[in-house]
Amino acid sequence: MAAILVVDDEVDVADAIQAVLEHSGFAVVTADSASRGLAAIERQQFDVVVTDIIMPKVNGLELIRKLREIHPRTRIIAISGGGSFGPLSLKPDAISTHAFIAAAREAGAEEVLTKPFDMDDLLAAVRRHLPN
Amino acid sequence: MDRVIHSLRFRLISVVLIINAALVPLLYLGVVAIVEEGYAEQFVNGVRSFSRLTADELEAASDADFEQRGALLLDDAMLTGQVVFTEIIDGARKMHSSMSMEGNAGRRGDDFAFGDQGDQVYYISQAIERSNHPVLLRLGFDESPTLERIAAVKRRILLAVLMFTLVSILVSIWLSTVIARPMMRLREAAQRVAGGDVHARLQMSSTIAEVKDLNHHLESMRQALVGANERLASEIREREVSERKRLELERQFLHRERVATIGTLAGGVAHEFNNILTPILLYSQLALNDTPADGARSRDLGRIVAAAHRARSLITRILTFSRQIDSQGTTLFSLQSTVEEALALLRAIVPANVEIVSEAVTPDITLRGDPSLVHQVVINLCTNAYQAMAGAGGRLRIGLSRVTSDSALPGGVIQGALLEVSDTGEGIEPQAIPHIFEPFYTTREVGKGTGLGLSVVHGIVTSMGGAITVESSVGEGATFRVYFPLGAHDGSDTGGG
């Protein structure tokens, strides 16, 4: 059974992702901050980590970089705040979609999903990055 | 009347008149005295020598023809026309000229001084030695012709003196005009200058050295004033221009800030809505998966999913709509000039009691990305900084520097640019620091801030792969450090990572 870590400061989002993944038979652990997520990956090795990018204190990009150091084989799916965060007067989706995708990919994420995403897209992404 | 009395011309003429009134009578009296003295002396000398000659002739006469000779001499004397009285006293006998019997009558013969008094006759007595007894010759001379000549000369002197007075008055009038005219011209020129025609030259055409000198100095004074006036005018124009520029910058700043606030608000709300929509979409799709496809429940769940999709596209449209300032897109840009541009806007806004100190970095750092985002970072950080110093004032420092491979750097930045914004404001409470970059978190009063400024900065910096830290203690201000990575963002870099 594949182990998946879901990190998002929005507990409702993390819980929903957990529900979907558990329903499909994955073992899911959630964390509501990047530092808790870091603590979790130090305890246990996950096959896939699904993490939000913009979070208070330690952000998702740092978590991704740390994860790359500790477990280089763990696959990472970043979920961005949904086309929307930052000075939206200054081209909002440039930040969330292009810039965040670029930043997340640069930090080491395999894939980036934009909130709100469909269940099928989430499952497809997770399955794509599992060994078998 | 007062003007006339105090006028230069009146005073000059008055002075000349006073001098004339004092000196002219003295002059007149003096000249007259000399003339009178001269005429009197000449008259007396003539009379004396005539009497002497007559007496000598009488002395030389023999006793026999003395009487006959005497009578002849007296007649001769009378014939000169000057002598009006003749008498020879020989003891008890008196002898007169036969031609002046009536002329001698009643004459007292005792006026021995020259002058216009008494009978206008000058008497002289001459003693003659005759055969051991004295004989006295007495003659009276008419003074009136001499007196008349004196009177005529006096009239001529008076006329000359009056002419002198008249000429001196005319000269004083002419002189006062010569002196006053340039002054009148000067007054007219001064009136023109006072009336606004500052370029009217001061020209007092005069041959008087002092007046020329005065004109020269007044003219250079006027030119200096015109120069000073022009300098002031151009300074005022410059100030007006810079004030207009400042107002325009202020307007731009407020516009950008308003647009940014609206966009940020929309973005923040959209972010929250996307977070809310995610569980709605996932749970409804999960439930839909477990529900038979033909039932009413499946249809209802399908409607929830469809509504969530509509909401998602609405948010996308709102975000597109709120995209008000054109992004400059990803490009290579100078960090230095982007920061300076933002500072130019800030200088228009920041109150005078806040001093802005900016430190440049050399060589300049080139970043790849959207310069308007960096612009927004600087604006937001500096706005926060000066608002933290509101009232008391202080110093806002913006520094740029290059940081190189330090693994201790936050955000894992290996090589990058460091933007530091520090203020001397009230500082941040320790318990607020962990939340400071969270959206809608604000320590300001309701209505004073959106609580989005720092979260926007955080969002931008994170999206650029950079990092932001804050260091602050209460009462000692705050320092924000923003790290922009070079590597992939640095076009000037040789390799790029």
Side-chain angles (χ1 to χ4, degrees), chain A residues 29-69:
Chain A
V29 174
T30 62
D32 64 356
S33 70
S35 47
R36 290 219 170 94
L38 277 172
I41 60 169
E42 275 164 13
R43 279 198 305 272
Q44 186 190 343
Q45 181 163 0
F46 294 96
D47 297 298
V48 174
V49 170
V50 178
T51 177
D52 192 12
I53 296 172
I54 297 178
M55 286 181 288
K57 291 177 240 180
V58 185
N59 68 49
L61 297 175
E62 284 176 55
L63 175 67
I64 293 169
R65 287 191 195 102
K66 280 270 161 60
L67 193 53
R68 274 280 156 270
E69 282 174 30

Side-chain angles (χ1 to χ4, degrees), chain A residues 82-83 88-89 115-116 118-119, chain B residues 267 274-275 285 309 312 319 325:
Chain A
L88 297 188
S89 53
K115 290 183 203 174
D118 289 316
M119 185 181 76
Chain B
N274 282 338
N275 273 332
Q285 284 175 337
H309 280 155
R312 182 170 66 183
L319 289 175
I325 294 177

Side-chain angles (χ1 to χ4, degrees), chain B residues 141-209:
Chain B
F141 295 86
D142 187 6
E143 293 173 335
S144 58
T146 304
L147 287 173
E148 271 162 29
R149 283 220 299 285
I150 289 173
V153 170
K154 272 163 83 174
R155 277 198 299 277
R156 286 213 297 279
I157 291 171
L158 185 65
L159 190 67
V161 163
L162 287 175
M163 284 294 285
F164 170 80
T165 305
L166 186 68
V167 166
S168 65
I169 287 168
L170 289 174
V171 165
S172 72
I173 289 170
W174 172 78
L175 199 63
S176 66
T177 308
V178 164
I179 295 173
R181 194 192 296 127
M183 291 197 178
M184 304 290 269
R185 290 240 179 98
L186 182 65
R187 194 192 67 185
E188 284 163 18
Q191 277 173 343
R192 280 207 301 281
V193 170
D197 183 12
V198 292
H199 297 287
R201 281 184 73 84
L202 302 181
Q203 270 179 324
M204 302 186 285
S205 54
S206 172
T207 50
I208 301 169

